[in-house]
Amino acid sequence: NAGVTQTPKFRILKIGQSMTLQCTQDMNHNYMYWYRQDPGMGLKLIYYSVGAGITDKGEVPNGYNVSRSTTEDFPLRLELAAPSQTSVYFCASSPDGTDYEQYFGPGTRLTVT
Amino acid sequence: RKEVEQDPGPFNVPEGATVAFNCTYSNSASQSFFWYRQDCRKEPKLLMSVYSSGNEDGRFTAQLNRASQYISLLIRDSKLSDSATYLCVVDDMRFGAGTRLTVKP
C-alpha cells in the first residue's frame, strides 16, 4: 500500500521557470491538500480539494495552481518560480475533512535560485 | 493573534522527564483538534486526536480546554525516541508552527 506519493523528491528551479509537483494517493480519499513548510515554521495550506473537480484556495495560494481531474491525483503547478517559493511541499489526503487523520506524502524540496 | 499558536520551545529534557506543550486557538467554533509528530526532514504523522473529554495513549495524554481555547499534550517518562517537533492542528487544516522537543540521555 503506497499511501501518498510525491514526485520529484528534490528540484532546483531557476527564477521564472515553471514546474508541476505530482501527488497521487491510492486510498480512495476524497480530500487532498497541498502545504508548504518553510524552515522552522509550521505548514501553510496552499490549496485543497474535497473531491474530483473541486478545488479551493488555502492560506497562501498566490503563485500556484491546482487541478483535480481524478480522485487519485492532485498536481500542484508553479508558474514563474520566485525565490520566495523555496520551501518543502507536502501533499496530504484524508477520507473526509474535519475529524479525520491526514496522511502525508514524503515531501518535495524545492529551491528556486 | 495567530489562528493557532504553540509554545515556542525548544524543550530540552532528560530521559524520564515529564513535559507538557500547549497550543492556543483563536476560533471559538473550532471542532477538531490533533497532535502530529514530525521528525527532522520527514513528513508529519498523526500522534493523537484530542477529544473533549481528554484522551490518553500510553505515555501521551491530550486535553482540550474550550473555555480558555487551548489544547495540551503531556508526555510522561520521556524517551530519546520522543525527540521530534510536535505540531498542533485545528479544524483539519490550521497548523501551529510546532514545538521542538529534544530528550537527552
Side-chain angles (χ1 to χ4, degrees):
Chain A
N1 188 352
V4 179
T5 57
Q6 292 183 238
T7 57
K9 286 186 169 53
F10 304 93
R11 183 72 186 268
I12 299 174
L13 278 182
K14 293 189 186 302
I15 294 171
Q17 288 185 322
S18 300
M19 75 165 294
T20 298
L21 281 66
Q22 302 291 346
C23 175
T24 300
Q25 54 95 3
D26 63 0
M27 297 173 282
N28 201 33
H29 286 171
N30 288 321
Y31 280 58
M32 295 188 75
Y33 313 83
W34 273 107
Y35 296 92
R36 60 176 286 173
Q37 186 175 34
D38 298 329
M41 304 295 287
L43 280 70
K44 293 187 177 180
L45 183 67
I46 305 171
Y47 272 95
Y48 69 101
S49 168
V50 302
I54 306 169
T55 62
D56 274 301
K57 295 179 180 179
E59 183 183 0
V60 290
N62 291 343
Y64 307 94
N65 279 300
V66 295
S67 60
R68 184 97 182 269
S69 56
T70 66
T71 299
E72 295 79 18
D73 300 307
F74 191 41
L76 177 72
R77 178 81 177 162
L78 277 73
E79 304 283 359
L80 298 174
S84 61
Q85 293 178 305
T86 294
S87 191
V88 179
Y89 291 84
F90 289 104
C91 178
S93 72
S94 72
D96 207 324
T98 304
D99 291 339
Y100 285 87
E101 174 183 359
Q102 292 185 52
Y103 297 80
F104 284 83
T108 294
R109 295 182 182 279
L110 176 67
T111 302
V112 182
T113 61
Chain B
R1 182 182 178 184
K2 290 183 181 177
E3 288 190 74
V4 181
E5 287 195 85
Q6 294 188 237
D7 287 347
F11 286 70
N12 298 304
V13 302
E15 269 188 295
T18 295
V19 62
F21 310 136
N22 285 334
C23 171
T24 59
Y25 59 95
S26 61
N27 184 359
S28 60
S30 293
Q31 293 295 320
S32 66
F33 308 90
F34 303 89
W35 285 102
Y36 280 72
R37 170 193 169 126
Q38 185 175 27
D39 294 309
C40 187
R41 300 177 74 83
K42 297 287 190 181
E43 71 272 23
K45 292 184 178 179
L46 182 69
L47 178 66
M48 57 197 305
S49 302
V50 186
Y51 302 122
S52 296
S53 56
N55 47 302
E56 188 174 308
D57 183 3
R59 298 180 293 107
F60 298 83
T61 300
Q63 292 194 317
L64 168 63
N65 185 317
R66 284 197 180 275
S68 299
Q69 293 180 214
Y70 73 88
I71 63 173
S72 63
L73 177 68
L74 180 77
I75 305 175
R76 290 181 299 276
D77 188 24
S78 299
K79 311 292 185 190
L80 296 177
S81 57
D82 293 334
S83 296
T85 296
Y86 292 83
L87 304 166
C88 69
V89 185
V90 177
D91 287 336
D92 192 37
M93 295 179 275
R94 293 173 177 79
F95 281 73
T99 298
R100 186 170 176 182
L101 171 66
T102 300
V103 181
K104 299 185 175 181

